[in-house]
Amino acid sequence: MMMTKPRPYLAALTLLLAALSIGGAAANAADGPSRDLGDWTLAPSEDGQGCFLTRVYKRPGDTTLLLGLDRDGSNHLTVLNDNWSIKPKERLALDFRLTSGGYPKHFAVGLNSDGKPGFVTSFEKAFPTYLARSQRLDIARGDVPVERLAMDGSGAAIAALRDCVAARKSAQRKPSKEDRGNDGIPRDPFAKQSDRRR
């Protein structure tokens, strides 16, 4: 059902870029207008591309889970913990287990967000739906357990996350008159006279 294998090079490039940008976006998500949804916090991402859900689990290292959803439907799952020794850009193969399926040996990359180490990964577009229906998310590194995270309240939180992203989409900036060339410069000055538009 959810057993997907990312293309290694595409996944590596995507996640390395995500690792460089999501650390700041995740850290700054709380700087914008946010709201609490039970144990979850919803906030728009600083880059305007989507929204984040955050949940902090009160345990050693204060494990922090962030689920980012972008306007194009792509997602990023980040998990951070003060006690971990993951290095930024370190490549990881982790097993993710949900209530009704999983992702064995799934690619993730290390990052550091405001001094807190962790990792980021992404899944297919249906992943937030699977997570919303799941009671827990278990993460392991082979035989070594990494985290066991309760997902209570995730259904309503992910519904609110989708609403937040939809609002960001509808607020997407429309071209202004200046963008359309009201300064007398045609959109395509090299087009035939009849095809030029201002």
Side-chain angles (χ1 to χ4, degrees):
M1 171 182 124
M2 294 182 284
M3 311 270 187
T4 60
K5 290 207 172 195
R7 290 180 208 146
Y9 297 110
L10 181 60
L13 179 59
T14 301
L15 291 175
L16 282 174
L17 292 173
L20 295 174
S21 63
I22 201 168
N28 293 322
D31 295 342
S34 63
R35 63 185 172 120
D36 291 334
L37 306 163
D39 293 326
W40 301 86
T41 300
L42 175 67
S45 59
E46 187 181 63
D47 62 7
Q49 293 303 306
C51 301
F52 275 93
L53 276 177
T54 307
R55 182 169 175 178
V56 179
Y57 293 83
K58 295 301 177 193
R59 58 183 65 184
D62 285 333
T63 298
T64 303
L65 179 144
L66 297 106
L67 176 64
L69 186 62
D70 291 341
R71 291 185 307 204
D72 64 2
S74 61
N75 61 74
H76 308 285
L77 180 74
T78 305
V79 184
L80 308 166
N81 186 293
D82 283 324
N83 294 333
W84 293 349
S85 59
I86 299 171
K87 304 288 185 239
K89 300 184 184 179
E90 182 179 345
R91 293 169 175 251
L92 305 164
L94 301 173
D95 300 322
F96 294 84
R97 185 90 188 141
L98 298 172
T99 302
S100 59
Y103 302 85
K105 294 184 172 53
H106 191 75
F107 183 81
V109 66
L111 61 75
N112 194 297
S113 179
D114 277 355
K116 196 167 190 173
F119 60 84
V120 61
T121 188
S122 62
F123 299 91
E124 79 271 29
K125 290 184 178 182
F127 177 75
T129 301
Y130 300 146
L131 193 62
R133 294 176 184 163
S134 190
Q135 296 170 1
R136 56 187 296 120
L137 170 63
D138 294 341
I139 307 168
R141 190 177 182 199
D143 294 333
V144 179
V146 172
E147 259 304 358
R148 296 185 183 108
L149 304 173
M151 289 292 111
D152 47 298
S154 62
I158 289 172
L161 175 67
R162 291 187 190 283
D163 290 345
C164 178
V165 173
R168 300 289 271 203
K169 259 189 199 176
S170 66
Q172 193 172 12
R173 191 170 80 89
K174 295 182 172 58
S176 67
K177 286 185 177 180
E178 290 172 5
D179 295 333
R180 291 193 299 269
N182 71 344
D183 57 359
I185 299 173
R187 178 172 286 197
D188 182 2
F190 300 99
K192 293 180 187 173
Q193 181 79 24
S194 60
D195 291 338
R196 287 184 199 151
R197 285 181 288 169
R198 293 183 184 241

